[in-house]
Every structure is written in C-alpha cells, then in structure tokens.
Amino acid sequence: MKKSKIVVVDDHPIVRHGIALLLDDTDDLRVCGQAGTAKEVLPLLEKTRPDLVLLDLFLQGTIAVELIRKIRERFPNLPILVLSVQSEALFAERALQAGADGYVVKEEATAEILQAIQALLEGGVYVSKKLVDRMSFKVVTGDSRSREFVAKLSDRELQVLKLLGDGASIREAAADLALSAKTVETHCARIKRKLHLRNANELLRFAAQWQSQLSGISR
C-alpha cells in the first residue's frame, strides 16, 4: 500500500518526534520530513513534495499565519493541517483565513488527529471538535472588551499582543519578529487605538489578562 507523505513542523523536538512516531506507526502514513523553524519549511516542501503538512501554529513565539500564506501561495493544492495548543476560535479563524484546511487542538485524542489528516487527504476540511464546541465563546477577557475587539487586530498586531502577554518587552518583541523597535511601537499604538486603551500600562495589563485567559481556555 502506498503511504501518504507527511511533513511535520513543530519547534519542540520532543513533540515533533512524537508526532512522527505516531504517524509512522500507521499503515497508510509516513513522515518524509521534519522542520523546527519557519525558515526551513518551504525548502523542505520543495524537496520532499509531501501529500500534507502538519504545522504547529506557534513557532518560536510567533503565530505562523504568514507562513501558512506562503505555503498556500507556493503549493496551492497542498493540504495544511494546523496543530495548536490554543482552542480559542480567533486563532483557528486566522489560520483558516490564511489558507489552512484544518485545525486540531493538541490535547485532542490521537484518533482525532488521524481523523483530521484523513479528512484533508480526501480533499475535505476539519476543525477540532473541542474548538467547535467553543466557537460560541465571545469574551476573551473578563472586562467589556470582547473577542470582537481583538478580532479587529491585524495578524502582526495579534503577534505583538501575544508577545507582550507572554512578558516580552518592546525590544524583545522586535527581535522575535525581526522588526525594529519603532515598528513594534507603531503596532502597539494601533492596538491601543483599536482596543480603546489609553496608555502603555493598560495595553500591558490587557495583554497579560488576554494571554492568561487563553491559557485557561487551552487547559
């Protein structure tokens, strides 16, 4: 039986190798390549020509939405299955809008991950059952700023907000995103305007609360 070729992308080697062992243990799947950084992905896909790419949404602290767009542009027919620790609908929406064909939460049972892979290989789409159950969640934090406010942020602004929520400084966020500190400050100004935050302290407080809430949702 011909096995479908899978490329696994995750910046945690233990997780990456664990997924590879899981897939290689099936009758109809085999891992043909692994990558730990966004920079490695496109060359690896060119070299291996897989039937599907399994991609962690968060690579080295950033949200891989731009990478999904690049994969979709270069390989328009390649199924992309996003695997993420986050079960918040906003991240799934961004990934799917960027061109992903499926989104599965990492804590789901092995059977669902394999089910999602099979669905994509057959030309379908798949969204984690846990995520579907939570699609009605609107409030991201406990205050009046709902999920709709955060949804107004651009992908880059969302990345900046996440890094600030993780405790990164402006300079650290700039280094992680390969941007200048001034550019990150501009993104922060736009975030404050869109979220109706008055100053940097309110922005940092909101980012921390938002990240804390996301961590609670994903558990």
Side-chain angles (χ1 to χ4, degrees):
M1 179 185 297
K2 180 182 178 181
K3 294 191 173 187
S4 298
K5 299 187 298 181
I6 312 293
V7 161
V8 178
V9 183
D10 195 298
D11 59 357
H12 295 91
I14 293 177
V15 174
R16 191 168 67 242
H17 294 315
I19 294 172
L21 288 173
L22 166 67
L23 301 183
D24 284 336
D25 195 42
T26 64
D27 294 331
D28 54 355
L29 304 173
R30 73 177 180 89
V31 174
C32 64
Q34 299 181 36
T37 67
K39 185 178 180 180
E40 299 173 294
V41 175
L42 293 180
L44 180 61
L45 297 180
E46 288 282 6
K47 178 181 178 181
T48 60
R49 294 289 171 170
D51 298 299
L52 179 144
V53 57
L54 185 61
L55 171 68
D56 184 9
L57 184 61
F58 296 94
L59 294 175
Q60 299 176 306
T62 63
I63 306 171
V65 172
E66 186 175 345
L67 175 59
I68 294 172
R69 288 200 182 96
K70 290 180 179 179
I71 294 173
R72 179 55 63 229
E73 182 179 352
R74 185 83 65 88
F75 307 95
N77 299 317
L78 177 63
I80 304 171
L81 177 59
V82 170
L83 195 60
S84 173
V85 296
Q86 291 292 353
S87 57
E88 215 292 313
L90 178 62
F91 291 106
E93 290 168 2
R94 292 298 172 96
L96 296 171
Q97 288 168 1
D101 301 286
Y103 189 103
V104 176
V105 180
K106 282 185 175 180
E107 66 184 54
E108 294 288 10
T110 297
E112 183 167 5
I113 296 174
L114 295 176
Q115 184 180 351
I117 291 174
Q118 192 59 44
L120 268 61
L121 289 174
E122 294 175 356
V125 296
Y126 194 96
V127 176
S128 173
K129 290 182 176 65
K130 176 168 290 189
L131 181 60
V132 171
D133 291 341
R134 289 173 172 174
M135 288 294 279
S136 62
F137 276 27
K138 294 297 182 183
V139 178
V140 175
T141 67
D143 64 14
S144 61
R145 298 179 185 90
S146 69
R147 177 177 170 276
E148 284 80 4
F149 280 92
V150 179
K152 293 179 181 179
L153 302 182
S154 69
D155 293 332
R156 184 64 83 188
E157 289 161 359
L158 191 62
Q159 289 179 316
V160 170
L161 184 66
K162 181 184 182 300
L163 288 169
L164 294 178
D166 285 334
S169 66
I170 295 294
R171 290 189 179 278
E172 289 169 338
D176 283 344
L177 298 173
L179 300 172
S180 69
K182 185 175 181 179
T183 299
V184 172
E185 288 173 351
T186 298
H187 286 308
C188 288
R190 291 172 179 165
I191 294 169
K192 285 187 289 186
R193 184 174 68 250
K194 291 180 180 180
L195 299 183
H196 306 293
L197 301 169
R198 292 173 295 181
N199 52 50
N201 286 336
E202 284 196 3
L203 172 59
L204 292 176
R205 189 179 306 115
F206 179 87
Q209 291 172 345
W210 181 71
Q211 185 62 24
S212 175
Q213 182 71 13
L214 288 178
S215 297
I217 289 174
S218 68
R219 285 195 292 269

